[in-house]
Amino acid sequence: MGAGKPATIYDVAARAGVSKSLVSLVLQRSPRVSQQRREAVLKAIQELDYRPSTAAVSLAGTRSRTIGVVLDDFRNQWFVDLLTGLREALQDQGHRLVVADRFLNTGLDASPVEGFLSMRVEGLVIAGEPDTDLAIPASTPLVIAGGRLSIPRADTVANDDRAGGGMAAEHLLGLGHVRLGFIGASSAASAERRSGFEAAVGAAADVAVTILPGEATEDAGSRAVAQLLDDHPDVTAVFAANDVMALGALSELAARGLRVPEDVSVMGYDDTPLAATRYVGLTSIDDRSVEIGRGAGERLLARIADPGLAATEVLVEPRLVARRTTAAR
Amino acid sequence: MGAGKPATIYDVAARAGVSKSLVSLVLQRSPRVSQQRREAVLKAIQELDYRPSTAAVSLAGTRSRTIGVVLDDFRNQWFVDLLTGLREALQDQGHRLVVADRFLNTGLDASPVEGFLSMRVEGLVIAGEPDTDLAIPASTPLVIAGGRLSIPRADTVANDDRAGGGMAAEHLLGLGHVRLGFIGASSAASAERRSGFEAAVGAAADVAVTILPGEATEDAGSRAVAQLLDDHPDVTAVFAANDVMALGALSELAARGLRVPEDVSVMGYDDTPLAATRYVGLTSIDDRSVEIGRGAGERLLARIADPGLAATEVLVEPRLVARRTTAAR
DNA sequence: TTGTAGGCGTTATCAA
DNA sequence: TTGATAACGCCTACAA
C-alpha cells in the first residue's frame, strides 16, 4: 500500500525477474509475451502497486494521448452534456481528457490553452465562444464545440440555432398563438435564434421583438419581457433566446399577475437542468450538447489522424421539449 | 507560431548562445543569472514560442506541483465555489489544479484517483462523500472537502451541518412559526441538519419529520412534503435538507394551491444558484463552499509540507440567506 | 519471445 | 555566473 516512493518499471522488472522492456510490453498489452512472463509481471505490478508515470510515458512515447478541453465557465451547465459526448468519442479511443475553465491555473500558465500546450496535448476542444484571440499553433488540432465564431483552421460543431428558432415558431403557431414576442440579448446565438424564429413565423403571425444589449441574465429577461409587454400588451406567447432569460420572464410575468401558460406562454432555449425541473417546467429547445460533444470528439480524432483535413462546420439539429409553460391559445 | 515540433530547451539554448542549464535557470527565475544572458534567453524563448514540457519537468524535477481534485459529479454546482477557494489557496502558491469527476477517464484509468496517482500529484482533494473505498496510498496527502465521511489519515473540511440546522430553526422560530416540518433523505448531511434543527427548536415548537429513504431529488421533496402535510396539516414552515428537495416541496405546495410564503414558508440548504434566482427566491443556508475550498487547500499545503501532520477536522460555519419563500406567520 | 541500449526534455549536481 | 553530465521513468528500435 503506502510505499514511500512510487514503484518504477525497474522495480517491477527486478521483482518479476525480467527486463524493463518486457514489462513495457506487458503494459502495452503486446500479444508477443509468453503467458508465464506476463503473469509474473502482472503479479509484480500488483504487489508493488505499480502505476506507470504519465510524465515518463508521454516523454518517451510518441504521443501524449491527451486532449485538452477548454470550458468558458464551469457555471454554464451545458458543458456537462458536452463532456459526456466527448468522453464517448475520445476516452473510449484511449485518449485522456483534461478539462479546464478559463481561469483554472491562470497565473501558473498564462491561460488554460498555454497549460495544455505545455502538456503537449494532441488536440484541443474549445467549448463555447473562444473569447480572446487565443494563440494556438496551427499544428495543434482544434475544434470549436458549441460556438459559432469560427477560426479558419478549426472545425466547428454547433447547435443549429436557426433551426431551433424555427422549431420554437412552429410550436407556438401550432398552439394557435398569433401575437408572438421574442426577447434576447446581444449574442450571435441569440441573433440566429431570432432570425430562424421570424423566418419560420413568416406572415402567419406578428412578432414583437425586444433585444436588450448585454449579457443574457435573468434580470435582463425580466426587463426585456416588461418592455415587450408594455409596448405590445396583446402578446400571448414569448420565446426567449435562452432559458435564463426565460426564467426572468417568468418571474416578471408572475409579478404582473399574469399566469403561465393560461395568460402567456413562455419558452426558452438550451434545455438547462433548470428548465427540466418540475417546479419550473419550462418548454425549451434542447441543443443536444451530447451530440455536439460526440461530433466534436470524432472530428478531432479525424483531424489528429490527418492534420491536413479541411475545416468543416457541422450543425446539430436541436429538439423541442414541450413542458408546462406553453399551452394552446 | 505554427512550428512543426515544439521547441525544446536545446533549441532555446542554441539560439541564445548559452547552455541548456542556463536556460533552465532562467526558467526557474534564478537570481544568479546575468541580466544580459537572461534577456537573450527570454528573447529566444519568445521567438521560438517555447514552452517547457510539463512531462519533462515533472519527470526530472523533484515535485510535480500538481494537485488532483476529484469531484463527485460535475452536475453538483457546489464544486464551482469549492474550486474558487481551492484556486486561491493552491494555484496562487504555484500549484497546478487538475479536476476530474468520478467518470472522467475511467476506462483509461480505473478511476480518476488512479489517473492522478499516475500523474504523481503532490496531493489530492476529494470533494463530497468519497463513495467507493478509494485505495489511496498513505503517502499521498489527502483532504476531504465537503464530506463528513472521514478517512483516518485524511483532513476534513466541511460545512457545519448541525449549526446550519440550528440557523434554520432560529430563522423560522424568529418568524413566529410554531408548527415546523423537516423533510430529508437518507444522507449523513441530512441527518446532521435535522439533528441541529431539532436541537435548536427544543421545546419552542413542534417538529414534524418526514425522511424519505434514497436520493435527495426534486421528486423526493415533493413526495416528502406531501406526506408531511397529509400527516400534519397544521405545519406552517418546512425546512428541507437541501435546495433540490425544497424545490420539490415548492412545486407540490403550488399543486395543492398553497401559497408560499403566505400559507407555508419553505427553506432549503446549500444556497444553490437555483435558490438565488429571482424566480425561485428560496431562503437557504449557504454552506460557504468558497471557504471550504480555501480551507481544504491550505490544509493540503500544510500536509504536503509536513506529511507527518495529524489529521484534523475543520467545520466551516454556514450562513443563512433569507429570501422570499419564508415570512412571518 | 526476450534483452540491450539509446533517447525523450527537463532538473540537479558538480565543476569550472 | 556558467556549463558538463548524470539522473528521471518509460518507449522503441535493434539484437539475441
Side-chain angles (χ1 to χ4, degrees), chain B:
Chain B
M1 293 295 151
K5 288 292 165 202
T8 73
I9 201 171
Y10 286 87
D11 301 325
V12 175
R15 185 174 247 265
V18 299
S19 74
K20 325 131 204 112
S21 319
L22 213 280
V23 176
S24 182
L25 288 178
V26 171
L27 253 28
Q28 297 166 65
R29 296 196 172 69
S30 164
R32 28 195 200 183
V33 175
S34 68
Q35 192 60 21
Q36 190 184 356
R37 305 275 201 184
R38 180 189 308 282
E39 277 166 15
V41 169
L42 256 20
K43 181 154 167 285
I45 288 179
Q46 186 87 34
E47 292 169 348
L48 294 172
D49 193 25
Y50 167 77
R51 241 178 303 268
S53 149
T54 56
V57 170
S58 74
L59 222 209
T62 44
R63 15 187 340 192
S64 68
R65 295 205 152 284
T66 298
I67 304 290
V69 182
V70 184
L71 274 22
D72 56 340
D73 192 327
F74 277 128
R75 275 169 295 199
N76 289 163
Q77 287 273 279
W78 77 281
F79 84 83
V80 177
D81 286 335
L82 186 86
L83 272 185
T84 302
L86 283 173
R87 298 195 232 235
E88 285 179 29
L90 262 16
Q91 81 185 24
D92 293 351
Q93 298 305 312
H95 287 268
R96 200 179 307 267
L97 256 46
V98 183
V99 310
D101 76 349
R102 255 179 321 173
F103 306 111
L104 200 63
N105 299 329
T106 52
L108 271 176
D109 313 308
S111 75
V113 169
E114 290 291 317
F116 286 145
L117 292 176
S118 291
M119 300 174 77
R120 307 292 189 255
V121 294
E122 289 182 29
L124 233 32
V125 176
I126 309 283
E129 303 288 342
D131 49 354
T132 46
D133 39 359
L134 50 203
I136 300 176
S139 53
T140 304
L142 171 65
V143 29
I144 313 286
R148 276 140 307 274
L149 215 79
S150 61
I151 294 180
R153 17 167 299 270
D155 288 291
T156 301
V157 181
N159 172 256
D160 190 340
D161 292 305
R162 247 190 101 72
M167 289 177 179
E170 282 168 30
H171 178 64
L172 297 178
L173 291 176
L175 290 172
H177 294 275
V178 291
R179 306 283 171 200
L180 309 178
F182 174 88
I183 59 175
S186 49
S187 82
S190 171
E192 280 289 296
R193 291 164 187 184
R194 170 190 175 183
S195 131
F197 185 68
E198 292 184 317
V201 169
D206 290 338
V207 179
V209 172
T210 300
I211 305 291
L212 249 40
E215 298 271 298
T217 61
E218 188 186 8
D219 182 55
S222 291
R223 287 182 287 115
V225 86
Q227 187 177 316
L228 185 82
L229 290 179
D230 286 347
D231 296 349
H232 309 273
D234 56 344
V235 161
T236 64
V238 177
F239 171 40
N242 53 69
D243 287 355
V244 175
M245 290 188 76
L247 200 69
L250 288 179
S251 63
E252 176 62 21
L253 291 171
R256 292 182 172 223
L258 290 169
R259 293 164 304 161
V260 174
E262 292 82 355
D263 300 322
V264 181
S265 282
V266 174
M267 62 179 297
Y269 203 117
D270 291 337
D271 194 32
T272 54
L274 195 80
T277 60
R278 176 189 174 196
Y279 184 63
V280 178
L282 181 69
T283 293
S284 189
I285 307 282
D286 174 6
D287 40 25
R288 317 230 0 248
S289 302
V290 177
E291 312 300 323
I292 293 179
R294 195 195 337 260
E298 286 167 0
R299 199 55 210 161
L300 192 58
L301 242 29
R303 181 164 286 279
I304 289 171
D306 178 3
L309 247 38
T312 63
E313 183 169 347
V314 175
L315 288 184
V316 174
E317 191 77 352
R319 178 168 47 196
L320 185 130
V321 182
R323 298 207 179 82
R324 60 175 187 71
T325 57
T326 50
R329 172 88 259 263

Side-chain angles (χ1 to χ4, degrees), chain A residues 22-329:
Chain A
L22 214 276
V23 177
S24 182
L25 288 177
V26 171
L27 254 28
Q28 296 165 67
R29 297 198 173 67
S30 163
R32 29 196 198 180
V33 175
S34 69
Q35 191 60 21
Q36 190 183 354
R37 304 275 199 185
R38 178 189 309 281
E39 278 167 14
V41 170
L42 256 20
K43 182 155 167 286
I45 287 179
Q46 186 90 34
E47 292 169 346
L48 294 172
D49 193 25
Y50 168 77
R51 241 177 304 270
S53 149
T54 56
V57 170
S58 74
L59 223 207
T62 45
R63 13 188 342 193
S64 68
R65 296 206 153 282
T66 299
I67 303 290
V69 183
V70 184
L71 275 22
D72 55 341
D73 191 327
F74 277 128
R75 276 169 294 198
N76 289 162
Q77 287 272 279
W78 76 281
F79 83 83
V80 177
D81 286 335
L82 185 86
L83 272 184
T84 302
L86 283 173
R87 299 194 230 237
E88 286 178 29
L90 261 16
Q91 82 185 22
D92 293 351
Q93 300 304 313
H95 287 269
R96 199 180 310 265
L97 256 45
V98 183
V99 311
D101 76 348
R102 255 179 321 171
F103 305 111
L104 201 62
N105 299 330
T106 52
L108 270 175
D109 313 309
S111 75
V113 170
E114 288 293 317
F116 285 145
L117 292 176
S118 290
M119 300 174 76
R120 306 292 188 257
V121 294
E122 290 182 29
L124 233 31
V125 177
I126 308 283
E129 304 288 344
D131 51 353
T132 47
D133 39 0
L134 49 204
I136 300 175
S139 53
T140 304
L142 171 66
V143 28
I144 313 285
R148 277 141 305 277
L149 213 79
S150 61
I151 292 180
R153 19 165 298 269
D155 289 291
T156 300
V157 182
N159 171 255
D160 190 340
D161 292 306
R162 246 190 101 72
M167 290 177 180
E170 283 169 28
H171 177 64
L172 296 179
L173 290 176
L175 290 172
H177 294 276
V178 290
R179 306 284 173 200
L180 309 179
F182 175 88
I183 59 174
S186 49
S187 82
S190 171
E192 280 289 295
R193 290 164 188 183
R194 171 191 174 181
S195 132
F197 185 67
E198 291 183 317
V201 169
D206 291 336
V207 180
V209 173
T210 300
I211 305 292
L212 248 40
E215 296 271 297
T217 61
E218 188 187 7
D219 181 55
S222 291
R223 287 182 288 116
V225 85
Q227 186 177 316
L228 185 82
L229 289 179
D230 286 346
D231 296 349
H232 308 272
D234 56 342
V235 161
T236 64
V238 176
F239 171 40
N242 53 68
D243 287 356
V244 175
M245 290 188 76
L247 200 69
L250 289 179
S251 61
E252 176 61 21
L253 290 171
R256 293 184 170 221
L258 290 169
R259 294 163 304 161
V260 174
E262 293 81 355
D263 301 320
V264 181
S265 282
V266 174
M267 63 179 296
Y269 203 116
D270 291 338
D271 195 32
T272 54
L274 196 80
T277 60
R278 176 189 171 197
Y279 184 62
V280 178
L282 180 69
T283 293
S284 190
I285 307 283
D286 174 7
D287 41 24
R288 315 221 13 240
S289 302
V290 177
E291 313 300 323
I292 292 179
R294 196 194 338 259
E298 288 168 357
R299 198 55 210 163
L300 192 58
L301 242 30
R303 181 164 286 279
I304 289 171
D306 178 2
L309 246 39
T312 63
E313 183 169 347
V314 175
L315 287 184
V316 174
E317 191 77 353
R319 178 167 49 195
L320 185 130
V321 183
R323 298 207 178 83
R324 59 176 187 71
T325 57
T326 49
R329 171 87 257 265

